[in-house]
Amino acid sequence: MRSSITIIILLALISSSGCGVPGAPLPPSADIPRFVGDLKAVRKGDTVTLTWTTPTETSDGELIRKPGRMLVQRALRSGPNSELAFQTISEVPLQPTLKDDRAQQATATDTLTSLSHSGGAGFAVYMVLAQGHNGKSFGLPNRVSVPLVPNLPAPQKLSAKPVPTGVMLAWEPSGTVPAATNTQTQYAYKIMRRLQGASQPVLVMQLKAADPANSFIDTGIEWEKSYHYWVVPVTLWQDGSRKGEIEGDDSPVVDVLAHDSFPPANPTGVEAVYSAAAPNSFIDITWTGNTEPDLAGYNVYRHTGDERPVKINSELVKTPRFADLGVHPGMKYFYSVTAVDLRGNESGKSEETSETVPRD
């Protein structure tokens, strides 16, 4: 009998070691989404764009199985120690998460027109509260803030045209500079340019909005290429140790072909001197060199009496000097010089000079 009981106990031990002993039952998931911790805010004009990563798990590491919601909340802070009273300004659905789902980016926008136009003091503070189907939330989401400083309106009637030194931009003033707030503010204009076909724009120049000049010449272009231009008003703000800049709305975009139809300046200081050097006499023509960066060379023109001037160089003259070997004794010759740029634009003729070849 005792041996039978021993066998039964041994079989029970073997059975328990092979199948495992069931532990205490796990509590069901609380279905509370994890908090949003990567909220970002970008202000453009009076529009704030908020972006964040949608939670995919609950506070206990389970996938979200039931739909919830994400509450976009905003509070106004007028000072460093002021209390924040958050209010929900919009709501984004929080969808259930499948096993292979990846976290998605969520977006919401807010408009600050009435807030920034009512004095512009303080900051708008945002957070996103993720709630489960039961209305519960977990943890403290991160907060982001944007200053309520006012923006300049976008400049209007922007124009662009080629000029000899580049592309000239001109615009109408966009209004008076807004009144100062309790933050240190300055206002400026960003001149933006994008080459046709390019994906990224280029900041050409930043000008103070208080500057009375409403025009600018972009000298950094390449001729015979097309460009898009626009102007962006910017508010530069500082509040204690914090500082940054807020871009306003863009001006209308203008397109321009940077076509160079502008010739160099007329050459000056032209002189002609006869030289009897052996074996051939000639008239030596010199002038003051042009300084244009796109200068390609010069043409030399000659005539006698009332004849029409004729170009006497076969190729562009690269230096401000030319020897006329085709002269004859007793003849008086009149000379003028033009400058030519890399695109073939030719200047007007210089003032004439003359020289006579001796008969002997």
Side-chain angles (χ1 to χ4, degrees):
M1 181 69 177
R2 183 176 297 175
S3 61
S4 299
I5 294 174
T6 302
I7 292 173
I8 291 173
I9 293 173
L10 289 174
L11 290 174
L13 290 173
I14 293 172
S15 176
S16 66
S17 64
C19 298
V21 178
L26 295 175
S29 173
D31 289 332
I32 304 176
R34 288 187 181 275
F35 61 87
V36 173
D38 64 345
L39 178 64
K40 297 180 179 62
V42 176
R43 179 182 168 188
K44 174 76 170 175
D46 285 333
T47 300
V48 178
T49 301
L50 303 166
T51 56
W52 67 93
T53 303
T54 301
T56 58
E57 294 183 349
T58 65
S59 58
D60 46 16
E62 299 290 331
L63 295 178
I64 296 175
R65 296 302 184 188
K66 296 182 180 181
R69 59 183 182 172
M70 294 175 285
L71 304 179
V72 181
Q73 299 188 329
R74 180 188 69 199
L76 301 181
R77 189 179 70 200
S78 57
N81 299 319
S82 59
E83 294 185 2
L84 298 180
F86 282 94
Q87 295 181 335
T88 299
I89 58 174
S90 63
E91 182 178 312
V92 180
L94 178 58
Q95 302 295 346
T97 306
L98 300 177
K99 182 178 180 181
D100 296 328
D101 282 352
R102 293 183 178 181
Q104 302 293 323
Q105 287 291 303
T107 303
T109 58
D110 184 29
T111 302
L112 301 177
T113 303
S114 60
L115 299 175
S116 62
H117 291 184
S118 61
F123 292 80
V125 184
Y126 296 91
M127 70 177 183
V128 175
L129 196 63
Q131 292 184 343
H133 67 94
N134 50 17
K136 295 182 179 180
S137 58
F138 166 76
L140 294 176
N142 73 305
R143 299 174 180 180
V144 294
S145 61
V146 296
L148 297 176
V149 291
N151 279 124
L152 286 173
Q156 299 300 311
K157 295 186 178 180
L158 179 66
S159 63
K161 64 177 183 180
V163 294
T165 54
V167 172
M168 170 178 273
L169 303 170
W171 59 88
E172 286 191 356
S174 56
T176 58
V177 174
T181 66
N182 61 356
T183 57
Q184 301 177 34
T185 54
Q186 295 181 344
Y187 299 92
Y189 289 121
K190 285 183 177 180
I191 312 298
M192 305 300 297
R193 178 188 73 209
R194 183 172 63 245
L195 177 66
Q196 186 176 41
S199 58
Q200 296 297 323
V202 174
L203 172 62
V204 179
M205 178 63 70
Q206 182 163 303
L207 307 174
K208 292 182 179 180
D211 192 329
N214 295 315
S215 62
F216 173 78
I217 297 179
D218 180 11
T219 60
I221 55 94
E222 294 184 53
W223 292 110
E224 312 311 321
K225 292 188 176 182
S226 295
Y227 295 94
H228 310 292
Y229 285 94
W230 65 98
V231 179
V232 183
V234 181
T235 301
L236 307 171
W237 63 272
Q238 183 169 354
D239 185 59
S241 61
R242 302 177 62 188
K243 61 182 179 179
E245 66 177 45
I246 299 296
E247 289 190 354
D249 297 322
D250 297 348
S251 75
V253 177
V254 295
D255 302 331
V256 61
L257 171 62
H259 173 57
D260 181 9
S261 59
F262 308 100
N266 297 356
T268 60
V270 181
E271 295 181 354
V273 177
Y274 172 73
S275 176
N280 298 314
S281 61
F282 63 91
I283 293 180
D284 190 26
I285 304 107
T286 59
W287 58 93
T288 302
N290 283 43
T291 58
E292 290 85 357
D294 61 344
L295 182 71
Y298 305 90
N299 287 323
V300 180
Y301 292 84
R302 183 188 72 184
H303 72 92
T304 58
D306 295 331
E307 295 178 353
R308 186 175 181 179
V310 176
K311 186 178 73 168
I312 57 175
N313 54 296
S314 58
E315 297 181 351
L316 286 177
V317 179
K318 301 299 183 179
T319 60
R321 184 172 187 175
F322 181 78
D324 181 10
L325 302 177
V327 295
H328 302 282
M331 296 292 296
K332 183 177 183 179
Y333 296 96
F334 298 84
Y335 296 95
S336 59
V337 180
T338 64
V340 182
D341 67 17
L342 294 173
R343 281 157 294 282
N345 297 307
E346 186 174 15
S347 74
K349 292 183 175 63
S350 68
E351 292 186 0
E352 280 191 342
T353 187
S354 63
E355 178 67 317
T356 301
V357 180
R359 289 189 178 276
D360 184 2

